[in-house]
Amino acid sequence: MPSIYKYVLLLALILVGCKNEQKVNPQEKKPTTAVENQEITSSKTKTSNTLKADADNGGLFLPEGFGALVVVDSVGPSRHLAVNNNGDIYVKLRTDKGTLGNIALRDTNNDGKADRKELFGDYPNDGTFATEMRIHKGYLYFSSELRVYRQKLHPTKLIPEGKPALLVIDEFPIRWHNAKSLAFDNEGGMYVTFSAPTNACEDAKATGNDPNTIVKGENPCSQLDILGGIWRFNDSTLNQTQANGKRFATGLRSIVGLSWNEEDNSLYAVNHGRDYLHNHAPQYFSEWQDAVLPAEEFIKIKEGDDFGWPYTYYDHFKNKRMLAPEYGGDGKKESKGYTNPLMGLPAHWAPNDLVFYKGNMFPERYKKGAFIAFHGSTNRTPYPQAGYIVAFIPFENGKPTQKWEVFADGFAGVDRIKKMQNAKYRPMGLAEGPDGSLYISESKTGKIWRVLFNGDKTAFGEAQLAKMEKRKTRSYIKTPTEGVDKITSE
């Protein structure tokens, strides 16, 4: 396919997508109380032995023995965050204006609250899907929608030194699902996501004008030449493009949560499944099936893996990879020859971050397991929207147990979510602190929680998890009953 045609195709697909997010622009003005780049030594981060959770856990529901305190109430609409080994916090803001796309936070009096806040950036903000914030080899790595940058961290300064160095350039226009999430191996490799902007590489020309016709997909899908996958780059080389990198895996629709697992030295991710099965093929899929299918996928990625997008989807009820209706599927035909996920997760929950727990603060059962932040669905109508929690997946013998648990709930603030806008908060970013506490950010206002454990680690077990298991009956967590749990027009 000629490169100019790809450029035009991607430009036309900007408005195509399914997981709509509110577009917001944080103020460009710096806080007047901040002293930029002031050289002070940050105090050592307090641990669970000295910090106490807020009386109401900042509105969160957690397993017995855990508590949470609000680090900061609002830094502005944001995406991922990173925590340095001195406790400083760095947050990626959601803005497409100006040059200050990051904010740094410091607790100067050891009360667990961020009392110093500074905007920084010095690079052009190019879209609200700008996502990543990582610390690697003494550098702060972050991304806009079209670029990956890094800056050197200083042992005492809150703001990184120098102008951001440009590492990776996306040469194509801004499109839907344009997050550049990052992960790093132990050999100088940096993995970058190039997600696809469509549900199933829809081909309007092949579909025709008949409203009853099943939507067709482009075959072969030309988007897979440059999108729908993960590329490996060098973690320190400047001005790399896809031509300088190597495609590591393909067939991945949209990945926002990406993580390197030190336990088995492997790349893991949570993949957003496609949408609109009913809209594209109402002959085969009901509104209920549209709400509960297909799975979001928890995946382990090896070089050369093909996870089947757009030709397939994963059915977590059948535990099978199915042929997509745009390519001849009818909800019954399986598809062979593609890599399957480690496990399927509930449909449309939008898993947006993934962290493997390495600390010692939490009980032993959490060690080496995976925390996932579910941003929450936008398109399960006429059934309730779902997700809006942080879940935990235990690992045994190096593999997930195939069971996920509700770890943190209460973000939505309502019992029944008719539309995404009804939810007060949407969990977005996760980061482990140097003391083993877990930081959680949300995307609407930029609130940040810090989860601590002050209970008896030796006594922690199923009894302490019982309350959280009961929360699975809530309308935004359970699988809705077909025809019964529909939201009325009232």
Side-chain angles (χ1 to χ4, degrees):
M1 172 185 251
S3 61
I4 185 66
Y5 181 72
K6 292 176 186 174
Y7 185 96
V8 173
L9 172 63
L10 289 170
L11 189 61
L13 290 170
I14 291 173
L15 298 179
V16 178
C18 55
K19 292 179 170 65
N20 295 316
E21 299 192 43
Q22 292 175 305
K23 207 167 185 181
V24 287
N25 300 319
Q27 293 182 348
E28 187 70 11
K29 185 179 178 181
K30 286 191 178 184
T32 56
T33 57
V35 180
E36 185 172 1
N37 233 22
Q38 180 183 1
E39 292 194 31
I40 60 172
T41 303
S42 61
S43 301
K44 289 184 178 180
T45 304
K46 281 194 173 184
T47 67
S48 60
N49 295 325
T50 53
L51 279 179
K52 292 184 183 270
D54 294 342
D56 64 347
N57 289 331
L60 298 186
F61 298 92
L62 299 161
E64 184 181 331
F66 285 89
L69 60 85
V70 175
V71 176
V72 64
D73 190 68
S74 176
V75 298
S78 54
R79 300 284 277 180
H80 284 177
L81 78 166
V83 182
N84 204 358
N85 56 16
N86 65 355
D88 289 343
I89 304 168
Y90 298 92
V91 184
K92 185 72 198 70
L93 297 175
R94 291 188 60 214
T95 177
D96 55 4
K97 306 296 182 185
T99 61
L100 303 178
N102 308 332
I103 190 166
L105 310 172
R106 177 172 281 177
D107 171 14
T108 63
N109 59 6
N110 284 325
D111 65 352
K113 310 287 185 179
D115 45 58
R116 184 178 171 201
K117 311 176 185 75
E118 293 194 35
L119 290 166
F120 70 102
D122 195 20
Y123 63 92
N125 293 312
D126 55 27
T128 60
F129 272 104
T131 290
E132 198 58 273
M133 189 63 72
R134 294 272 190 179
I135 294 173
H136 174 64
K137 292 182 178 179
Y139 286 88
L140 184 68
Y141 286 74
F142 48 89
S143 65
S144 69
E145 288 201 29
L146 296 177
R147 304 286 188 268
V148 176
Y149 303 92
R150 77 173 185 178
Q151 279 181 283
K152 183 68 175 176
L153 289 166
H154 189 279
T156 61
K157 294 178 181 179
L158 177 60
I159 303 302
E161 295 185 303
K163 187 176 178 64
L166 178 57
L167 298 180
V168 175
I169 303 167
D170 183 344
E171 298 179 293
F172 295 93
I174 283 182
R175 56 198 173 266
W176 200 250
H177 295 161
N178 215 38
K180 294 289 183 293
S181 296
L182 308 175
F184 302 90
D185 62 25
N186 297 311
E187 299 177 350
M190 177 174 67
Y191 300 84
V192 183
T193 57
F194 285 79
S195 296
T198 59
N199 277 285
C201 204
E202 296 91 333
D203 188 343
K205 185 176 179 180
T207 300
N209 297 321
D210 184 350
N212 297 315
T213 299
I214 293 175
V215 172
K216 303 294 183 183
E218 184 188 16
N219 197 3
C221 176
S222 62
Q223 291 172 40
L224 289 174
D225 293 343
I226 52 172
L227 300 173
I230 295 171
W231 269 252
R232 185 183 188 271
F233 298 91
N234 185 283
D235 66 7
S236 57
T237 301
L238 302 180
N239 299 314
Q240 300 169 93
T241 66
Q242 280 181 294
N244 305 120
K246 181 180 182 181
R247 185 183 355 226
F248 188 75
T250 190
L252 296 161
R253 176 176 175 258
S254 177
I255 287 178
V256 184
L258 186 69
S259 185
W260 189 264
N261 189 354
E262 299 291 345
E263 285 301 312
D264 61 1
N265 212 33
S266 298
L267 185 66
Y268 286 74
V270 274
N271 185 31
H272 288 222
R274 53 83 51 85
D275 304 300
Y276 300 136
L277 286 170
H278 172 71
N279 302 59
H280 285 194
Q283 299 93 327
Y284 299 131
F285 299 94
S286 67
E287 288 181 323
W288 178 79
Q289 288 173 308
D290 195 60
V292 301
L293 288 172
E296 313 283 46
E297 301 178 33
F298 181 32
I299 57 178
K300 180 178 180 178
I301 308 171
K302 302 183 298 296
E303 186 172 0
D305 277 346
D306 184 345
F307 288 86
W309 183 89
Y311 311 114
T312 76
Y313 65 90
Y314 193 76
D315 186 323
H316 51 305
F317 298 101
K318 298 176 180 177
N319 289 323
K320 294 178 180 178
R321 189 165 290 286
M322 312 299 290
L323 186 64
E326 295 82 0
Y327 298 92
D330 58 1
K332 300 176 182 178
K333 296 176 183 175
E334 292 184 51
S335 187
K336 306 288 187 180
Y338 296 101
T339 307
N340 283 329
L342 295 171
M343 61 184 291
L345 300 169
H348 315 300
W349 279 26
N352 273 10
D353 210 356
L354 170 67
V355 164
F356 288 96
Y357 188 71
K358 297 182 287 187
N360 295 312
M361 178 188 288
F362 293 0
E364 187 64 24
R365 70 182 307 280
Y366 290 94
K367 199 77 172 272
K368 304 176 183 179
F371 288 101
I372 298 174
F374 285 106
H375 203 212
S377 71
T378 64
N379 56 0
R380 286 168 60 115
T381 305
Y383 291 88
Q385 302 305 324
Y388 304 89
I389 65 168
V390 173
F392 177 73
I393 299 175
F395 269 53
E396 292 179 1
N397 301 317
K399 296 181 180 180
T401 61
Q402 302 298 313
K403 295 179 181 179
W404 58 269
E405 303 167 359
V406 180
F407 178 75
D409 189 14
F411 300 96
V414 294
D415 291 331
R416 198 166 169 85
I417 309 170
K418 182 176 182 180
K419 54 185 179 180
M420 178 270 287
Q421 289 79 4
N422 298 147
K424 188 173 183 179
Y425 303 116
R426 301 183 75 191
M428 180 67 207
L430 301 170
E432 185 179 319
D435 64 345
S437 55
L438 182 71
Y439 291 76
I440 304 171
S441 69
E442 64 84 31
S443 67
K444 282 191 169 185
T445 69
K447 191 168 185 173
I448 298 173
W449 295 261
R450 182 177 171 188
V451 179
L452 313 164
F453 185 78
N454 287 314
D456 182 353
K457 289 198 289 186
T458 62
F460 190 89
E462 295 301 320
Q464 285 69 39
L465 295 169
K467 283 185 180 179
M468 302 308 293
E469 188 65 22
K470 290 179 180 179
R471 297 197 71 81
K472 288 185 177 181
T473 61
R474 305 186 81 80
S475 67
Y476 54 87
I477 299 178
K478 73 172 187 175
T479 300
T481 302
E482 185 171 7
V484 175
D485 290 323
K486 284 186 177 182
I487 292 178
T488 65
S489 58
E490 296 178 3

